[in-house]
Structures are given as C-alpha cells and as structure tokens.
Amino acid sequence: MRYSTTHKQQTRQKLLESSGALAKRGGFAATGVAGLMKAIGLTGGAFYNHFPSKDDLFTEVVRRELSSSPIAQQPMNRARLERCLDQYLSMAHLHNVEGGCAIPTLGAEIARAELPVRAEAEHWLCSLQHAWTQTLEDPDLAWALLSQCVGALLIARMLASEPLQEQVLKASRDFITGALHEAP
C-alpha cells in the first residue's frame, strides 16, 4: 500500500518528536532503529523510508531540539534572558528531562557523533551564543553563561539528593545574576 506524501511527512514528524524524547530519556545511541520505530507504532524496516541512516535522524533530532529552545529565541532583552535562565536553572526543568533542553542530556553523545551531527549542534549553539551576545554585548560572557547553565543542570541531574540539586541550581542562578548585573 502506498502512503500519501502528507502521511509520510506526518510519520517523519512523529519519528522526530518521539526520537528526541527517547534520546533525552535514555540516550540516542542506546536506542536501536527498531525501538525508535516501535515508539510510533511502526516496524524497524519502515525507518529507511524516512531517513537514510540513524546518524541522519540524529542530525535532525539535534536540529529540531536545539532550534526550538526558548532561550534561543530572538530578540531577547536582558529581563527576558534573566527570566529564561531562572526557568532553565529550576527544579521543574531538572525533572523534565524529555521536555527540557537537549544540550545537557545529549551533549556527550553529540560530542562523540559524526561530523554532520556536531556541525548541526555547532550551528545552533553559535546561533544561541550570538543571540545572547546581542543582549549582553559581550560574546565571552554569552559563552560563559551558556556553559554555566548547561553545566549546572548537568551536575544537578547527576546528584541523588534533591537539596543538593537545589543548591547547585541556586548557586548558578546567583552567579549568573551577579554576572549579569556587573556586565555593561
């Protein structure tokens, strides 16, 4: 049976959405093609109707996840940036692995991925850094705050104790608030 172009596009979109959530929950490399397809109710063989390889899917997952980040939206004034960073460094975001930022959850896998995946991540990270630079008027501060946010969320997720998680996030929020108020 031949499916319409619309059906194929909808299936591809479902696969991207599902794969992003699965990757953030359990790792992209750890989930096989059959598992990715099973999550949307299809067989593994149907995968290749949508992507030539799993790496191509990973590239698209990275594009989709990083391009849709609320902290990458432009234009952004300083007050909005501060609100976004407060939400980013929150316990709600810490617990929302599947719906949260892909950078702390997929960063290590992206670093080990093939060049097209890393190039896609670089494009979106540079776009994010550029947006923050426009707001902060300091490219180095933009990179430092981006790194601080991702690192703090990653470290907090590594901890077993919720009070320690909260302490890491609060310390990072306080540090960022100080850095933002010292910046021009």
Side-chain angles (χ1 to χ4, degrees):
M1 176 176 170
R2 201 163 170 91
Y3 291 105
S4 70
T5 303
T6 304
H7 181 267
K8 186 174 180 179
Q9 290 170 342
Q10 290 171 339
T11 302
R12 180 183 169 96
Q13 189 62 29
K14 280 189 219 173
L15 180 57
L16 277 169
E17 290 170 9
S18 176
S19 296
L22 286 171
K24 289 191 285 185
R25 181 177 53 223
F28 190 80
T31 308
V33 168
L36 294 170
M37 295 305 285
K38 182 180 178 184
I40 61 168
L42 297 173
T43 64
F47 174 84
Y48 298 100
N49 293 328
H50 304 284
F51 294 96
S53 71
K54 193 175 170 191
D55 279 345
D56 289 318
L57 171 61
F58 194 31
T59 301
E60 288 299 315
V61 166
V62 168
R63 175 181 295 124
R64 183 180 182 282
E65 291 293 329
L66 298 186
S67 68
S68 65
S69 170
I71 57 175
Q73 304 303 314
Q74 296 180 36
M76 183 178 296
N77 62 33
R78 195 176 285 251
R80 182 166 182 257
L81 177 61
E82 285 186 52
R83 284 191 307 274
C84 286
L85 296 178
D86 279 344
Q87 291 171 350
Y88 191 92
L89 294 170
S90 70
M91 291 301 289
H93 187 214
L94 180 135
H95 292 301
N96 186 15
V97 175
E98 286 180 33
C101 180
I103 301 169
T105 55
L106 297 178
E109 282 189 87
I110 292 169
R112 290 187 300 267
E114 296 297 320
L115 184 60
V117 176
R118 294 192 333 266
E120 190 63 35
E122 179 179 307
H123 168 77
W124 291 105
L125 288 170
C126 287
S127 175
L128 174 60
Q129 184 269 349
H130 178 73
W132 288 17
T133 296
Q134 289 180 323
T135 302
L136 301 169
E137 300 176 0
D138 184 341
D140 292 337
L141 179 60
W143 278 124
L145 293 183
L146 174 60
S147 300
Q148 176 68 33
C149 288
V150 171
L153 190 61
L154 176 61
I155 288 172
R157 284 182 175 158
M158 291 170 60
L159 300 172
S161 164
E162 195 161 287
L164 278 176
Q165 291 173 328
E166 290 174 349
Q167 184 180 358
V168 167
L169 295 178
K170 182 184 180 315
S172 294
R173 283 191 311 270
D174 291 348
F175 176 80
I176 287 171
T177 297
L180 289 173
H181 290 284
E182 289 176 15

